[in-house]
Amino acid sequence: MPIATTGKVLVSGANGFLAVWVVRAFLENGYAVRGAVRSADKGVHLSKIFKEYGEKFEVVEVPDITKKGAFDEAVKGVDAIAHTASPYHFKADDPAELLEPAIKGTVGMLESARRCGTAVKRIVVTSSTAAVLHDEPTPQTFTEADWDDQAVETVQRDGRNASNVHKYRASKTLAERAAWDFTKTHGASLTWDLTVLNPPLILGPILHEVPSPSLLNTSALQIFVSGGGGCWVDVRDIALAHVLAVKKEAAGGERIVIGREAFWWQDWLDATPEAAKANLKYQKGKPGSQKDIIPPVSYDASKSVRILGMEYRDMEETARDVVSDYEERGW
């Protein structure tokens, strides 16, 4: 299919931690952007920080992404879509609190694009490695071929009693499967193709409106705590990946893990600038204590380099920029 190397991009959930950087990345690469937010007040900060782009940036309201036809008007006249809107938290009692907006929001966007997005050439859906990994007793390296059906089965069996982590992982798995099933069902009738990006924990400086650290989103908040391990990606890198996924013809129809190496949290403490460590609010832990311990989960992100040409920031750069950002805010 033809790709959208220029034109206008719809970004859903545009006021979110990742989405604001996605908006910025598209603007910096010459695209016009239509940012979808739930209410007008959610767009005020966006209009302010992207004022220099003038008419190339606009805000539209989509109050409830679970409603049928929610994105019908928003998709009109855009050449590509970056669907980032999906709940990310570990506070749900009823699994439906996560599953319904994740699944209905994703399928609803695709359905609106099918019926009303006559100019759309590519849709990029932000999934997660939560839809990729599954619990194993020994360290594992996962690829795009893996799916977290384990979390889905756990939530189906245990319902409200399932862990919040499994509820979230099930929501990402089911939403992504629904997206791929949609493209299979409608096949050749679609004027666009689909790319799915699967990032792990997203960290980095913030652009969205956050008056205090207590109101940070789930992933950004973790820079203030320590413990455990996982995998990560800089928010600016995954944002750029959305642009590349729209630009690169070979990305069409692909599921792509986006991310850096695995870590233990001590690695982040070690990467924190020395000047910041003198401030008691940043923990020091036991420097170097986890260097030789293999993290339980890692991902093969070589596909992102091969298809998108990704080049990733290292931990030291991200840690330095996060600390600098937070210090400037007086946090």
Side-chain angles (χ1 to χ4, degrees):
M1 288 187 178
I3 52 175
T5 55
T6 59
K8 181 176 291 187
V9 181
L10 170 65
V11 178
S12 66
N15 60 307
F17 171 52
L18 167 60
V20 179
W21 283 103
V22 173
V23 170
R24 178 170 169 173
F26 275 111
L27 289 170
E28 288 180 339
N29 280 271
Y31 291 86
V33 175
R34 177 179 295 161
V37 296
R38 285 179 296 172
S39 59
D41 62 296
K42 300 290 186 182
V44 173
H45 178 69
L46 298 179
S47 296
K48 181 188 300 183
I49 63 174
F50 297 126
K51 183 178 180 180
E52 65 181 285
Y53 292 97
E55 294 182 354
K56 295 196 73 173
F57 177 71
E58 62 186 85
V59 175
V60 295
E61 292 181 53
V62 180
D64 184 354
I65 67 173
T66 67
K67 286 189 174 181
K68 186 176 181 179
F71 292 104
D72 283 1
E73 292 300 316
V75 302
K76 292 179 180 178
V78 302
D79 301 278
I81 297 169
H83 179 55
T84 75
S86 188
Y88 176 31
H89 62 80
F90 301 113
K91 302 174 182 178
D93 176 26
D94 186 342
E97 293 177 41
L98 293 173
L99 269 60
E100 285 195 10
I103 299 168
K104 290 183 178 180
T106 298
V107 174
M109 175 67 84
L110 302 186
E111 179 60 26
S112 288
R114 184 184 73 85
R115 291 186 296 102
C116 305
T118 56
V120 176
K121 302 176 182 66
R122 177 159 295 169
I123 298 179
V124 180
V125 169
T126 314
S127 184
S128 168
T129 52
V132 174
L133 86 164
H134 43 266
D135 300 327
E136 294 289 348
T138 58
Q140 300 290 321
T141 298
F142 296 101
T143 73
E144 291 85 357
D146 294 297
W147 284 88
D148 191 6
D149 295 319
Q150 183 185 73
V152 175
E153 293 167 1
T154 298
V155 171
Q156 289 174 339
R157 182 187 67 239
D158 298 339
R160 292 175 183 267
N161 293 323
S163 72
N164 285 326
V165 170
H166 281 116
K167 292 172 188 174
Y168 170 69
R169 283 163 48 178
S171 76
K172 300 305 290 188
T173 302
L174 291 170
E176 186 185 343
R177 281 203 181 278
W180 290 118
D181 288 345
F182 186 95
T183 63
K184 291 176 183 176
T185 298
H186 296 283
S189 67
L190 300 176
T191 61
W192 45 265
D193 57 14
L194 176 68
T195 302
V196 174
L197 303 182
N198 300 77
L201 178 65
I202 301 173
L203 298 171
I206 63 176
L207 279 179
H208 64 305
E209 189 173 24
V210 184
S212 72
S214 64
L215 298 176
L216 282 167
N217 62 293
T218 301
S219 61
L221 185 61
Q222 293 190 46
I223 200 70
F224 283 110
V225 300
S226 63
C231 295
W232 70 284
V233 66
D234 190 290
V235 66
R236 296 162 292 186
D237 292 338
I238 178 61
L240 179 60
H242 284 74
V243 178
L244 297 173
V246 166
K247 281 189 171 184
K248 302 281 187 177
E249 184 176 1
E254 297 288 348
R255 185 185 200 216
I256 306 174
V257 169
I258 307 291
R260 285 291 312 231
E261 71 280 353
F263 69 87
W264 290 104
W265 209 263
Q266 183 64 52
D267 297 329
W268 281 102
L269 302 182
D270 294 347
T272 302
E274 289 300 323
K277 290 179 184 178
N279 188 327
L280 295 179
K281 67 185 174 186
Y282 294 102
Q283 301 180 49
K284 296 181 180 180
K286 296 180 179 180
S289 62
Q290 295 178 316
K291 288 291 185 185
D292 298 323
I293 304 175
I294 300 174
V297 173
S298 60
Y299 301 95
D300 179 355
S302 59
K303 190 176 184 180
S304 71
V305 177
R306 185 175 70 254
I307 292 181
L308 301 182
M310 288 297 299
E311 296 179 1
Y312 292 101
R313 288 171 172 80
D314 61 25
M315 186 175 287
E316 287 72 22
E317 180 179 356
T318 300
R320 182 190 69 232
D321 292 349
V322 169
V323 169
S324 176
D325 179 30
Y326 291 5
E327 292 288 334
E328 287 180 10
R329 297 170 185 271
W331 294 351

